[in-house]
Amino acid sequence: MTRSFRRLATAFLFAGSLTGLALYGGDAAAAREVAPGIELRDTDNQLVTLADLKGKVVLLNFWATWCGPCMLELPHLQKMYDDLKDQGFVVLSVSTDDARDASKVKPLVKAKRLTFPVVLDKDTAVVSQYNPNKILPYTVLIDREGRIAARHQGYNPGDEVNIRAEVEALLSGEGELPSDGDPDLPAPPAGE
Amino acid sequence: MPLTAAALRRLGLPTGAVALSMLCLPVTASASELIGTGALGGATVQLTDDFELRYHTTDRRLPGFEDRRIHDYVEQVNRINGLISQRYDDGRSLTIGVQVDEVALFSNRYILDGELQRSVDLLDTSVASPFGDALVVFEKAFLRYGWRGGELGLGDNYGSFGRGIALNIKKNTDIDIDTSVRGAKILVRAGDLDFTAISGVSNRQQVSQDQPNLAIFKDVSHMVSGLRVDRYGLGPANLGLHGVVYRFGRAADADLDPTYRYAEGLDAVVSGANLELLGVGGIDWYVEGDMFGYLSPEMVALPADEPDYQAELGHAVYASASAYPGRAVVLVEAKHTQDTERINTFVSADGWEVATVPTLDYERVITEDSAAAVNSNDIYGGRVRIDYTPGDGGFIPYLAFTGLRDSDVDVLHFNRSPETIVHPIGGFQLTGGDIVSQANVGYRMDMRDDAAEGADRMVHFDGDISVPSGVGHLELLLQAKQFWWGDNGIGQEDFLEMENALVWHPTDQWALTLYQDWSNNPLVNTEGNLSEDLYGAVELAWEPNSNTSLRAFYGAYKAGIRCSGGQCRSLPGFEGARLAFNSTF
């Protein structure tokens, strides 16, 4: 057996270890992370903060005007917002377009008739905390306590069904989400 | 047996790789909450891991060793992001983040009879690693403390003023660029006033997650300091003022402590102002002007000891107006820039930029030719885009037209005389039913003033459609451009490039993708795996839960220029196999 093969086998062993631990870790993530603070201005320069949304279920969605899948996902988020906003649900949409594209954001919001808040993260300060690889689109569900309940990378048609089920579970106060898949998981700490 | 280096050697395992693995393994624990009563009591820890193993293959053979694939090698990259988050009842927040990258090469040397026949080097001579053909880099670290009325950032920060013309240093992972300003940044909100100050030295990401890591060289940092004041709520108006100073490190300064940049003379000063008017006459207006002062001769490509050098100037003006009449949305943008790209003289060779002017072009189809206009030092023009929403937003067609006048013929430009660029584009987005689709088609022409030079022309199309299949759904993504050169003096051949994919999603968790690229562009220096110009690949993706994805790729894709966020970069192609794993814990 060559030394190169041993090295390669070690690398695969490493990958396998990480995969196994990740699968374990993914299911065992009972303690929800605190959602990092957000203070950004929207397309009308109004200040929007995550702290002000405490008590609501927040769907944080990162997107960009040049991102094709994002364009397909946004109308579904609008529909979800229209249907559920009266139950304490809000979409906080974060445009990750950089500064030079900032003039494109509001026209796109108008063309797509989006009515939820759209804030601009021009210098990537927020996306670098929530989504360090800047995968787009990227959705984070935040529960009423301000903790991260779920994340979704990318968008494929039909994803909105699963996300909506998770949002409805959070709105109804269920401790676990349909995607958690483990009925024995304890609910997140209450009252924090 | 104790896990010592000697023991590992007896087991035949490479100590470097195992040491790195051990370094990474402890951090794969589940998300956890910090216990205690201090400032971080109850804070939570989040970890994201991105692991990739790439087996690079090539048809190259070493003369005399045609039966062995000794040019093939294996590359392994791992990126860990850690984040500690805390939020207090009074609205304050504290976030601490780190990013650690690790890369290693395997089978990257071929030694026969004690003689090195072939070597693929991870590092150049400016970077030393105790792990040999592996490198661990503490890429980013930051602390952000926010309160109602401001935020303080220490460590690695990003900065962007106005439309990014004076300062635009940010994460641009779309093209594998992540340069930050390592120092301090503070934002203070006082009523309708925002004060932002940033100062530090640049910190370019050393390890690439998506590209081959070869001959990694030492980062020469540059000093950046800026101040911006925004005044909101002046009726419908918002006003901004900013200033930025730069001192760029020279290659000879690579070993000096980066803080010495503060003690050296400035290379450039940029100051600017912007005015925004919302809803005035039913239109949202924005206008920004920036002045560039180049204080050292190297900024304008003159020798450092150029006698009697007088500071040279540059300027940029950008304006936009958007209106929303009825079911239509109209966006008009215009710009004029003169000698603004010189601000990137010291950094563009490293693949990133400190500031960028809006390109006003469709970046998805930028080529080697049009990249010159993106980075032009003398250009003006505008763009108009009209979107029309006939129904509830499910179907949105649009038309756009860009017109530019580029008088710069230096360096990157293929043309010898100034040129006028026209670029009409049309397209649509369709959503709402079982079928979702979008498409864009355009034609670009670069007409040179000297008729003998002719014109560069390009027709392009990109689009995708997703339809239900018997099981799950199918997605087809197409992108193609045909380019015809004018007389560019060096006689490149016309070319066709395509990047296509067919994706089958049988369930939410699985996706099977077939990729097909085509390129006969002589400026693309890769060869296809199916024929000289044809590339094919297959990828299987599995997402067992919303926090984890695993991807296995086999095949090849082409090299080519890719632009994002106003920056363009030639990305290399790839042939071989790849295993990628991403998870958030």
Side-chain angles (χ1 to χ4, degrees), chain B residues 424-439:
Chain B
I425 302 177
F428 70 87
Q429 291 172 4
L430 174 67
T431 55
D434 286 340
I435 298 175
V436 294
S437 180
Q438 57 188 338

Side-chain angles (χ1 to χ4, degrees), chain B residues 205-221:
Chain B
Q205 184 172 279
Q206 294 283 89
V207 176
S208 291
Q209 184 74 14
D210 302 321
Q211 309 180 58
N213 286 281
L214 299 173
I216 294 173
F217 58 95
K218 188 165 185 173
D219 179 26
V220 179
S221 56

Side-chain angles (χ1 to χ4, degrees), chain B residues 183-196:
Chain B
K185 179 181 179 183
I186 187 164
L187 165 66
V188 177
R189 303 185 198 282
D192 288 328
L193 279 171
D194 280 8
F195 297 91
T196 307

Side-chain angles (χ1 to χ4, degrees), chain A residues 4 6 14 21 34-35 39 45 66 98-99 103-104 106 111-113 123 132-134 151 153 162, chain B residues 12 44 46 50-51 107 158 170-171 173 185 189 238 276 284 320 364 383 389 429 508 546 582:
Chain A
S4 295
R6 288 192 207 109
F14 176 61
L21 285 166
V34 173
E39 256 194 39
N45 285 324
W66 50 264
D98 75 4
S103 290
K104 295 179 185 172
K106 188 171 177 181
K112 287 196 162 294
R113 303 186 176 187
D123 62 4
N133 285 340
K134 208 180 163 193
R151 299 165 185 275
Q153 300 181 14
N162 297 333
Chain B
T44 53
Q46 170 206 314
D50 287 277
F51 176 89
S107 303
Y158 302 95
K170 59 180 177 48
K171 185 183 278 283
T173 47
K185 179 181 179 183
R189 303 185 198 282
N238 305 303
E276 191 170 19
D284 292 333
S320 69
R364 197 173 288 181
R383 172 173 57 184
T389 310
Q429 291 172 4
D508 295 336
S546 62
N582 168 273

